[in-house]
Amino acid sequence: MRDRDRWEEWKNKFWEGLLERRHIYLGGEIDDGTANQIGKIILWLNSQGGEEIKLFINSDGGSVSAGLDIYDIIKYSKAPVNGIVYRRANSMATVVLRACVKRTAMSHSLFSFHNTVLSLMTEWDEFEDKSKNRLKEIKDLQEEIYKILTIRSTTEAERIKEICKRKLTLSASQMKALGLIDEII
């Protein structure tokens, strides 16, 4: 058997093993493909029963819209989804974690915050017309993220805004003190 075939076989067994245990792995960038895959897995696991789903997170974040899609499907799940951060949950990965019923982090996990990154990919002559609408959309999305980050938290919105503005990286113990995670393991 070739090395590539062995690798593919191992990957398939790995994913099958996770699904049998009702575990999902969110690693890498959060994009539309990731949101689609996680959405399908959560729906499938819900069709298999209502037992707990564990979502393991190790991500630097990514797309706001994809992250909110994952947030929504977790909130929709009839089976409780419990988030476990190992290594890191940065940016939108922290927002995804907020959707979980129980939010846990391993002791050396890190969490990075920042405001929504503004990207205007448009030609100069279209900039003036599009920029006002796009800026409002981004401001509304940022306000929604602040709201999500303060749900079930002891941290008020102004503190969250300051953390994002300063682009802070927080430890698991700092996150627990702010009420942004429930437990450190």
Side-chain angles (χ1 to χ4, degrees):
M1 183 180 267
R2 295 185 346 220
D3 286 342
R4 182 172 170 80
D5 292 335
R6 274 190 230 128
W7 173 247
E8 289 301 318
E9 182 180 327
W10 180 87
K11 279 192 335 188
N12 289 336
K13 286 182 182 179
F14 172 78
W15 289 112
E16 287 173 18
L18 286 179
L19 289 176
E20 285 174 12
R21 291 170 184 80
R22 299 180 66 81
H23 293 177
I24 302 171
Y25 177 75
L26 171 56
E29 183 176 353
I30 296 173
D31 58 17
D32 289 340
T34 305
N36 192 36
Q37 179 185 22
I38 289 183
K40 287 177 184 178
I41 292 170
I42 289 174
L43 290 173
W44 183 79
L45 289 172
N46 271 272
S47 76
Q48 302 302 303
E51 300 85 29
E52 170 191 68
I53 299 168
K54 289 184 180 176
L55 174 64
F56 291 87
I57 300 172
N58 177 24
S59 172
D60 283 327
S63 162
V64 172
S65 61
L68 291 174
D69 288 345
I70 297 170
Y71 177 91
D72 287 343
I73 197 70
I74 291 170
K75 296 297 279 183
Y76 174 78
S77 177
K78 290 187 181 7
V81 179
N82 294 326
I84 302 167
V85 176
Y86 85 99
R87 296 194 70 216
R88 63 187 177 272
N90 297 335
S91 189
M92 283 310 291
T94 301
V95 173
V96 168
L97 177 66
R98 299 295 297 157
C100 297
V101 173
K102 184 175 180 185
R103 299 149 310 171
T104 305
M106 295 189 181
S107 60
H108 295 98
S109 298
L110 295 174
F111 302 79
S112 293
F113 293 82
H114 63 84
N115 285 318
T116 303
V117 175
L118 180 61
S119 176
L120 291 173
M121 298 296 294
T122 186
E123 293 181 19
W124 175 249
D125 61 338
E126 298 172 345
F127 177 77
E128 189 172 3
D129 293 334
K130 288 186 178 182
S131 64
K132 290 175 188 168
N133 290 337
R134 185 68 180 133
L135 189 58
K136 179 171 178 355
E137 290 171 9
I138 291 171
K139 183 178 179 183
D140 291 346
L141 281 174
Q142 186 62 58
E143 290 300 321
E144 180 66 17
I145 290 168
Y146 292 150
K147 181 178 157 189
I148 288 168
L149 290 173
T150 58
I151 294 171
R152 295 178 23 229
S153 169
T154 58
T155 305
E156 67 281 347
E158 290 307 312
R159 177 73 175 125
I160 291 294
K161 288 177 182 180
E162 182 64 23
I163 289 168
C164 291
K165 182 179 180 181
R166 293 180 53 205
K167 300 177 181 146
L168 295 180
T169 297
L170 304 178
S171 67
S173 59
Q174 290 170 311
M175 291 288 286
K176 180 136 177 31
L178 291 169
L180 295 172
I181 61 171
D182 303 308
E183 183 181 7
I184 298 172
I185 53 176

